Amino acid sequence: MEFRDVVRRRRMVRRFGGEPVAPELVDRLLDHAVRAPSAGFTQGWSFLVLTTDAERERFWAAATPPDSARDMSAWLAGMRTAPVLIVVLTSRDAYVGRYAEPDKGWTDRDEARWPVPYWHVDAGMASLLVLQTCVDEGLGACFFGIDAGRLGAFRDAFGVPAEWAPTGVVAVGHPVAGGAKGSPARRQRKATGDVVHHGRW
């Protein structure tokens, strides 16, 4: 598929068919993810891959809030059909440590030196490569976050060390029609001219 088509066809898929995703395709998603850029070539990401019924059920049990201000039942019903969940995690300590090395020289390890938390930026870039690879392979995917109030339960369920924070989760599978409608159904894409500023604001 042409790259421009991959970019234009990428959509968040919220319901998946029953066909499993071949292990070699999952490997390809991850092989592409680790090609993402990272500040200082830190590569401070990790990927928790959940492919069995038991693993996915444990995830949903740990990550699903008992109640919500809005009805998430349609979203949850569709998302639970994904045969693969890839939790994308990142380590702040890896970045702070990397930039304390001699070629960077921020030996005080002061997080205030970072204008934004690049550990999450880089994990987001890796996630986007997973999403784009899914399009190229004819798969569907949806990126979503773990509720802040459920992070402890998630960590406990999978033995995730405190150093690692989830940036988000990519649900992967074979797309089918249906599932909860996303925000693009309620909002228009902004015109390029409204968000691009040449030369000055």
Side-chain angles (χ1 to χ4, degrees), residues 108-133:
D108 57 11
R109 296 173 179 259
D110 184 2
E111 189 177 332
R113 290 183 178 274
W114 294 84
V116 295
Y118 269 82
W119 36 98
H120 285 298
V121 172
D122 292 350
M125 291 187 191
S127 300
L128 180 57
L129 287 178
V130 172
L131 295 173
Q132 291 181 323
T133 303

Side-chain angles (χ1 to χ4, degrees), residues 38-42 94-102 104-107 114:
S38 65
F41 205 44
T42 302
Y95 284 78
V96 172
R98 169 67 184 101
Y99 274 75
E101 292 178 15
K104 298 298 183 185
W106 290 353
T107 56
W114 294 84

Side-chain angles (χ1 to χ4, degrees), residues 58-201:
R58 191 175 348 137
F59 172 83
W60 291 115
T64 304
D67 51 30
S68 174
R70 60 188 179 118
D71 182 7
M72 299 294 290
S73 58
W75 180 88
L76 190 58
M79 295 301 290
R80 286 178 71 110
T81 63
V84 177
L85 298 174
I86 301 173
V87 185
V88 183
L89 302 110
T90 190
S91 167
R92 169 203 167 276
D93 293 347
Y95 284 78
V96 172
R98 169 67 184 101
Y99 274 75
E101 292 178 15
D103 65 321
K104 298 298 183 185
W106 290 353
T107 56
D108 57 11
R109 296 173 179 259
D110 184 2
E111 189 177 332
R113 290 183 178 274
W114 294 84
V116 295
Y118 269 82
W119 36 98
H120 285 298
V121 172
D122 292 350
M125 291 187 191
S127 300
L128 180 57
L129 287 178
V130 172
L131 295 173
Q132 291 181 323
T133 303
C134 283
V135 175
D136 196 45
E137 296 292 345
L139 298 170
C142 185
F143 180 87
F144 64 96
I146 297 175
D147 185 275
R150 304 300 298 173
L151 290 177
F154 162 73
R155 288 180 188 283
D156 291 345
F158 294 98
V160 176
E163 173 187 347
W164 294 92
T167 297
V169 185
V170 185
V172 178
H174 296 274
V176 297
K181 294 191 180 299
S183 295
R186 300 181 292 275
R187 297 170 59 90
Q188 290 188 343
R189 186 178 303 279
K190 292 182 178 180
T192 304
D194 292 340
V195 296
V196 176
H197 310 279
H198 293 277
R200 63 174 292 150
W201 197 272

Side-chain angles (χ1 to χ4, degrees), residues 9-29:
R9 292 182 187 180
R10 192 217 47 79
R11 298 287 184 273
M12 295 300 186
V13 172
R14 296 173 177 85
R15 183 172 291 278
F16 305 88
E19 183 183 352
V21 176
E24 59 269 23
L25 288 182
V26 176
D27 289 344
R28 194 168 305 147
L29 301 179

